[in-house]
Amino acid sequence: MGEVSDDGIGVIARARAGYTLTEMLVVLVIIGLISAIVVPQTLGQMDRAKARSARLKLESVAASLEMYSADLARYPTAAEGLVALLDAPEGAGEWAGPYLSDRALLKDPWGAAIAYQPPATQGDNYRLISLGADGKAGGSGFKRDIVLGTSE
């Protein structure tokens, strides 16, 4: 077979101790192909998860608005905004808040503030709006606005 040196390891065995450049390149190509397939699917799941999270945050804020309304017999005004769920507005004697546990609930998963449109008249619906991934009105897919009103 191969020659045996004085340390007992064959010369041929010593020559095969590492990987060739070709073997390394094949492994890198395989890793690249797997990444090209897996990464886009993972990113799509992240977008879906953020959209679901935004919807859940809007529903949590809506539940807090309902508790606020039950205590004060009105929704916060546009001037008071959603901060009225955390800090008592002036002249709100029956305020029993805070109605939200954390200020972070007033931001959507993309870091933008949740927009609040109070009812125009008694009996109308308020609206809670997240502008989606792009932070702009409109959009489609994961960039579309997420809107929640009391009738939904």
Side-chain angles (χ1 to χ4, degrees):
M1 281 244 205
E3 297 179 18
V4 177
S5 63
D6 51 344
D7 64 355
I9 299 175
V11 174
I12 295 174
R14 186 176 292 142
R16 293 283 300 156
Y19 295 106
T20 66
L21 180 61
T22 305
E23 290 170 331
M24 296 286 272
L25 289 175
V26 167
V27 168
L28 288 175
V29 167
I30 291 170
I31 290 172
L33 289 173
I34 291 171
S35 297
I37 294 168
V38 171
V39 169
Q41 290 179 353
T42 303
L43 292 177
Q45 291 294 333
M46 291 296 292
D47 289 335
R48 266 188 287 270
K50 282 190 174 186
R52 283 189 205 122
S53 175
R55 185 91 174 156
L56 289 172
K57 278 190 172 191
L58 292 181
E59 289 173 358
S60 177
V61 172
S64 297
L65 282 167
E66 293 303 323
M67 288 188 292
Y68 179 97
S69 175
D71 289 344
L72 278 77
R74 67 175 180 85
Y75 292 107
T77 64
E80 293 168 340
L82 294 175
V83 176
L85 299 173
L86 294 163
D87 303 320
E90 285 198 32
E94 298 296 318
W95 191 83
Y99 298 94
L100 286 173
S101 60
D102 190 6
R103 288 192 186 278
L105 290 171
L106 298 179
K107 293 192 178 285
D108 66 16
W110 300 279
I114 293 172
Y116 167 65
Q117 296 174 350
T121 61
Q122 189 71 17
D124 282 353
N125 296 330
Y126 61 80
R127 288 173 31 121
L128 297 171
I129 304 164
S130 168
L131 296 178
D134 62 356
K136 300 175 186 169
S140 61
F142 297 115
K143 295 181 180 178
R144 78 177 189 278
D145 298 349
I146 301 167
V147 180
L148 184 69
T150 56
S151 63
E152 297 180 296

